[in-house]
Amino acid sequence: MKLDHRFENKVYAGVLGKIIGVYLGRPFEGWPYDKIMKELGPIYYYVNDKLNVPMHVTDDDLNGTFTFIKAFKDFNFDKNITSKQIGDTWLNYCLENQAVLAWAGKGLLTEESAYLNLKEGIEAPESGSIKRNGKIIAEQIGAQIFIDGWGMIAAGDPDFAADLAKRAGSVSHDGESVYGAQVVASMEAMAFIENDTKKIIEHCKKYIPNDSIIYKLISDIQDWSSGNLDWEQARSKIEENYGYDKYQGFCHIVPNHALIILALLFGDDDFQKTLMIVNTAGWDTDCNSGNVGCYMGIKNGIEGIQKGPDFISPVNDTLYITSARGSETMTDALRESQNIINIRRKLDGLESKVIKNNARYNFEMETSTQGWVVDKSNDNNQNTHLKNIEYKSKIGNRALEINFNNLTKGINSELHVNTFFPEEFTTLNEQQEMMLMVYSFVGCPIIYSGQNIKTEIISKTKKDIKIKLFIKYYGEGDKLYKISSEEYFFSDDESKTIEWKVPDTFSNPITQIGYSISSDEQVSGEVLINYLDITGIPKMTFRKPEHIKDNRANLVSHDIKSLTNGVYIPDEDKYYGQLWKLAWVNDVDKWYGYGKNSFGLIKNASRGHVFTGSSEWKNYSVNSKIMFRLASSGGLVIRSQGLQRYYSLEIKSVNKLQINKMEYGLKTLKEIDFKFEPFEEYEMRFEANNNILKGFINNKLLIEVEDKTNQFEKGMIGCIVENGTIISDEISIN
């Protein structure tokens, strides 16, 4: 298919439809039809306010969908990518008991069972097979819920989509589950080029065996939809013939796939009605609704989503994709759609599309706001609104408009975007927190001290105005503290490109970037943001912030993998501020900090890591003074792209110094003899300059190597410990 603007719009609409569907169905996930009708009635719109739960949450349906397709990037955009390679991707991105998947125990959840098989060396597709796990475990719903990304990448090619779905689905599932995934993915791919849902379903069921249960239920629902039944009568027949009571397991594919087909055949090609049916019908509502929302978004585009109520504004493009690559947790619908677009372009032998010089916030799609919101708290202007508008420039066609009325002296118009753990997550009640904690929030800030913010601003205001950039960071008591740039003055129709170096936040994580608009007189008007980008390598030191009180009750971060990413915070200590630790991806057993020690990292067996930073950091050096306490190995990590992709500089207890490359297995790039003394502090520095890696100990260059094959070009920083404990006061980057 032609990879034109129409294709790009459909991808964005598909991504947005997926998010809408998940957020719509998540609050009552697992409810049966009767309970939904009794307590909520037909689901025509979001009900999170009725159930007092947040709308924007972490969710495995979204995590898996947008994480596992990164296998194409990690394996050089090979169209023939294998199930084994996709399984390796699981091991790289899944953070056990924390991120990507739901975690409850082997034998209960299919995905976790498959992950543990992979971890034990059982390669895909055996990891998800009926032979290995049994029919009941292998035929649960997971292969279908993660499949939309593969379907969109295969846009216009349902054959390719069905094949990809089989390879990807077989990592964790088998049998009917994979058949369901193949049908959904091929339908989504075909929806780019065909508008008749009945034709699409009839064509795509041919990709699976005609003696399978999925094939039979599709045929049955096709028959029911062509008669005199309404959707509720057809739902009753599904419950009678394919209901939960017929299939064992936590969440079986068959009943839920049936509800997807039901909604599509009875939804009258209407986005709202189709989602109403699949959500009101019950069972695994966020999963089914996410698949249906994606399909309908692709087929009917943004215009189809907009025909009913406003599903788009409450979502605001907001998306959290938690994984071991925590630099990519804070994301949005536009960013993920542009990622899918570029994967497809690379598969077709084309260069990635560069949009506004790859600015992080480029707004280059109708309706896209990329998570930006107006701050209407305190003395800010309540009459301020955001929307995406057409704006022709040398580098793009759209911009974010800030519309304000009756701005006056002392009352500013402000907007911001979250760059780390959102402030609203710190004020959740117990019920809300429990909903969010189902899938832990694991993520790093996307901006750090010493980096640069670059933005183009255009005033469309008749009178003079002043604009400041600002950041907010979590300081003492995990309260927000604000730092603003100098004022920039704008007259009517004036455009300026502004660059601001991010000030020192004293090792506290930055959680917002924003704009503040003010005037010395009453004024109404508009300001356009053409783009905002974050560039450069930080020059900063990571340590426990000065305001953190040393308290032996908080000596050890107990092994609780929940909302706080393994950081145990006693109630009496919460006000001392602990979010600085949450800014690190953490898979060590314990992390303690007492006295001046910020990083007391313990991994009793195997390798453990902590990571922070950006996927875009390329040439830099990291240094830290590290003491080894019985560890068999430890040191520094650079260019981390997950648990299975990074470089490390490691001191080994067997009197060796190594530069290693973790690439789905540890490879030593260079090794020298080095006399190791336990309980001695070593000043380590690890430097990357293109593909040249250098290791320094106590300010002396001791080891250097060039990685000539499949280099990791960019990535996060961190520490590693193996079979013991390492201690450090601070880690610096420059």
Side-chain angles (χ1 to χ4, degrees):
M1 111 171 253
K2 189 175 181 181
L3 305 186
D4 55 9
H5 188 62
R6 177 178 176 274
F7 157 74
E8 294 173 357
N9 279 343
K10 282 182 172 288
V11 171
Y12 176 62
V15 171
L16 197 55
K18 173 76 173 184
I19 301 169
I20 291 168
V22 170
Y23 289 168
L24 190 60
R26 175 70 186 280
F28 48 93
E29 178 184 7
W31 289 23
Y33 168 78
D34 291 342
K35 182 177 180 180
I36 292 170
M37 289 299 293
K38 180 180 178 181
E39 299 189 24
L40 298 171
I43 307 298
Y44 284 102
Y45 199 62
Y46 303 111
V47 298
N48 54 293
D49 56 338
K50 296 179 181 178
L51 297 175
N52 194 28
V53 294
M55 172 172 289
H56 303 126
V57 295
T58 54
D59 190 277
D60 62 333
D61 298 46
L62 299 173
N63 291 340
T65 297
F66 299 108
T67 295
F68 297 143
I69 58 173
K70 293 175 183 176
F72 274 126
K73 286 185 174 181
D74 296 344
F75 289 97
N76 301 314
F77 300 98
D78 183 359
K79 279 190 173 183
N80 297 313
I81 194 167
T82 65
S83 290
K84 180 189 180 302
Q85 290 171 323
I86 299 170
D88 287 341
T89 303
W90 279 52
L91 291 175
N92 186 48
Y93 290 101
C94 293
L95 201 61
E96 192 170 352
N97 294 317
Q98 295 183 68
V100 181
L101 306 175
W103 302 92
K106 188 172 184 178
L108 181 62
L109 295 182
T110 302
E111 297 79 16
E112 183 174 4
S113 301
Y115 168 84
L116 292 173
N117 287 338
L118 293 167
K119 188 178 176 183
E120 292 168 10
I122 301 166
E123 296 178 352
E126 185 182 348
S127 55
S129 67
I130 290 174
K131 178 182 176 182
R132 173 65 57 173
N133 300 323
K135 187 175 178 65
I136 293 172
I137 293 294
E139 293 191 333
Q140 301 301 305
I141 197 174
Q144 180 172 273
I145 69 176
F146 300 150
I147 216 63
D148 308 278
W150 305 96
M152 286 186 280
I153 286 169
D157 189 347
D159 293 3
F160 184 39
D163 190 28
L164 282 179
K166 184 175 183 179
R167 288 181 248 164
S170 296
V171 173
S172 51
H173 292 75
D174 199 354
E176 300 293 342
S177 184
V178 173
Y179 301 153
Q182 289 182 281
V183 170
V184 170
S186 58
M187 285 173 56
E188 289 170 340
M190 193 170 175
F192 281 87
I193 56 174
E194 171 60 59
N195 197 48
D196 189 327
T197 292
K198 292 181 180 180
K199 288 182 180 179
I200 291 173
I201 292 174
E202 181 61 25
H203 177 87
C204 293
K205 75 176 185 179
K206 296 176 183 176
Y207 290 109
I208 64 175
N210 59 14
D211 60 351
S212 64
I213 299 172
I214 295 293
Y215 188 99
K216 183 178 185 303
L217 74 82
I218 293 173
S219 299
D220 283 346
I221 301 169
Q222 286 175 314
D223 289 342
W224 301 335
S225 68
S226 62
N228 297 319
L229 300 182
D230 60 26
W231 78 264
E232 290 170 297
Q233 291 169 320
R235 188 213 63 81
S236 295
K237 291 180 74 67
I238 288 172
E239 186 169 19
E240 179 183 347
N241 292 277
Y242 299 104
Y244 264 22
D245 60 318
K246 309 294 189 301
Y247 301 95
Q248 297 182 57
F250 190 72
C251 188
H252 203 277
I253 179 69
V254 167
N256 291 291
H257 188 85
L259 296 188
I260 290 174
I261 302 301
L262 170 78
L264 294 177
L265 288 176
F266 284 87
D268 296 333
D269 205 34
D270 178 81
F271 186 84
Q272 183 189 28
K273 182 176 180 181
T274 306
L275 282 178
M276 180 277 293
I277 292 172
V278 80
N279 280 288
T280 309
W283 295 332
D284 198 358
T285 47
D286 62 333
C287 301
N288 302 335
S289 181
N291 291 136
V292 168
C294 183
Y295 171 86
M296 293 297 294
I298 293 167
K299 194 176 74 64
N300 294 348
I302 291 293
E303 300 81 6
I305 298 175
Q306 292 175 315
K307 282 184 177 179
D310 181 9
F311 283 108
I312 296 175
S313 296
V315 168
N316 197 33
D317 272 6
T318 302
L319 189 57
Y320 310 123
I321 305 299
T322 66
S323 77
R325 197 164 178 170
S327 55
E328 298 179 356
T329 294
M330 303 301 293
T331 185
D332 57 76
L334 180 59
R335 189 171 176 83
E336 294 307 311
S337 66
Q338 289 171 344
N339 177 52
I340 290 170
I341 289 164
N342 280 330
I343 290 174
R344 175 56 186 270
R345 289 179 63 86
K346 296 288 281 187
L347 290 177
D348 283 9
L350 304 173
E351 290 299 314
S352 295
K353 187 170 184 177
V354 176
I355 300 173
K356 296 184 179 179
N357 300 315
N358 284 329
R360 182 177 183 96
Y361 301 102
N362 59 68
F363 313 110
E364 198 67 3
M365 197 69 74
E366 183 184 352
T367 79
S368 179
T369 51
Q370 294 195 259
W372 286 83
V373 294
V374 173
D375 186 343
K376 296 185 178 181
S377 60
N378 301 323
D379 59 353
N380 291 328
N381 183 10
Q382 303 296 306
N383 296 313
T384 305
H385 306 279
L386 302 180
K387 68 176 180 179
N388 185 290
I389 66 164
E390 185 176 1
Y391 173 71
K392 300 286 186 180
S393 68
K394 292 180 180 180
I395 57 174
N397 297 300
R398 306 199 69 84
L400 185 69
E401 180 188 79
I402 310 162
N403 185 295
F404 50 87
N405 291 295
N406 299 322
L407 186 66
T408 60
K409 188 175 182 64
I411 300 179
N412 301 340
S413 288
E414 291 198 350
L415 67 152
H416 70 264
V417 68
N418 290 320
T419 57
F420 177 51
F421 194 77
E423 182 187 16
E424 56 264 30
F425 286 1
T426 67
T427 60
L428 299 177
N429 61 36
E430 185 175 354
Q431 176 192 5
Q432 294 169 331
E433 188 170 318
M434 283 300 296
M435 182 180 184
L436 186 66
M437 282 170 53
V438 172
Y439 308 99
S440 306
F441 185 96
V442 177
C444 310
I446 64 171
I447 185 168
Y448 296 80
S449 297
Q451 291 191 279
N452 297 306
I453 298 174
K454 183 177 181 180
T455 183
E456 183 182 354
I457 306 171
I458 306 97
S459 175
K460 296 292 183 180
T461 308
K462 298 300 182 184
K463 298 179 181 179
D464 292 346
I465 58 172
K466 297 175 286 185
I467 299 178
K468 291 181 181 180
L469 297 173
F470 67 80
I471 59 167
K472 290 184 180 180
Y473 64 88
Y474 284 118
E476 185 172 359
D478 288 335
K479 304 299 182 184
L480 292 188
Y481 293 78
K482 184 177 183 180
I483 303 176
S484 297
S485 71
E486 64 180 287
E487 286 186 324
Y488 299 91
F489 294 84
F490 286 79
S491 56
D492 184 30
D493 211 26
E494 184 175 10
S495 173
K496 288 184 179 180
T497 299
I498 295 171
E499 295 191 54
W500 181 43
K501 186 174 182 178
V502 179
D504 189 358
T505 62
F506 320 106
S507 300
N508 292 293
I510 299 170
T511 195
Q512 290 179 12
I513 302 172
Y515 300 85
S516 181
I517 306 168
S518 62
S519 178
D520 291 331
E521 54 184 321
Q522 187 184 59
V523 61
S524 297
E526 296 86 32
V527 167
L528 308 184
I529 308 299
N530 195 16
Y531 67 85
L532 182 145
D533 201 13
I534 302 163
T535 61
I537 302 297
K539 297 185 183 300
M540 66 171 292
T541 297
F542 298 92
R543 62 166 71 91
K544 178 172 56 179
E546 292 295 329
H547 60 79
I548 303 295
K549 180 179 177 180
D550 291 327
N551 187 331
R552 287 190 179 272
N554 196 31
L555 176 62
V556 175
S557 300
H558 296 274
D559 189 20
I560 296 176
K561 307 299 185 182
S562 65
L563 174 65
T564 51
N565 190 20
V567 180
Y568 173 67
I569 306 174
D571 289 342
E572 65 270 19
D573 291 334
K574 285 186 177 178
Y575 65 91
Y576 290 122
Q578 296 294 331
L579 284 173
W580 70 279
K581 281 187 179 179
L582 192 57
W584 293 75
V585 174
N586 164 18
D587 79 330
V588 297
D589 293 328
K590 294 180 174 65
W591 174 351
Y592 75 86
Y594 183 68
K596 65 179 183 178
N597 300 139
S598 299
F599 299 90
L601 306 177
I602 304 169
K603 190 71 173 180
N604 293 323
S606 74
R607 296 166 72 83
H609 320 74
V610 295
F611 302 132
T612 196
S614 168
S615 296
E616 299 304 313
W617 295 353
K618 184 175 183 179
N619 293 330
Y620 56 82
S621 67
V622 178
N623 62 279
S624 179
K625 291 182 179 179
I626 299 176
M627 177 184 287
F628 295 74
R629 298 173 63 96
L630 302 183
S632 63
S633 181
L636 298 173
V637 169
I638 60 175
R639 292 185 179 169
S640 168
Q641 300 170 8
L643 297 176
Q644 297 288 324
R645 294 172 63 86
Y646 58 79
Y647 296 114
S648 62
L649 174 67
E650 299 183 45
I651 295 175
K652 310 285 287 189
S653 63
V654 292
N655 296 313
K656 299 291 182 182
L657 178 66
Q658 298 175 340
I659 292 179
N660 293 319
K661 182 179 185 179
M662 174 61 82
E663 189 176 20
Y664 314 106
L666 195 63
K667 306 171 185 177
T668 298
L669 299 180
K670 190 168 185 179
E671 176 183 87
I672 62 170
D673 292 332
F674 180 83
K675 184 172 176 54
F676 168 77
E677 294 290 343
F679 292 90
E680 183 172 328
E681 190 174 65
Y682 296 93
E683 184 169 354
M684 304 183 70
R685 185 163 96 246
F686 197 14
E687 181 179 298
N689 185 6
N690 296 322
N691 62 334
I692 304 295
L693 309 173
K694 297 180 179 180
F696 300 76
I697 305 295
N698 298 331
N699 294 315
K700 293 182 179 180
L701 175 62
L702 296 185
I703 188 169
E704 180 177 352
V705 69
E706 180 180 6
D707 186 12
K708 297 181 179 180
T709 59
N710 198 32
Q711 302 93 357
F712 300 152
E713 294 186 349
K714 302 175 183 178
M716 302 179 290
I717 67 168
C719 280
I720 185 166
V721 57
E722 185 173 11
N723 304 323
T725 300
I726 61 171
I727 299 172
S728 177
D729 297 343
E730 59 187 36
I731 303 169
S732 298
I733 180 172
N734 55 64

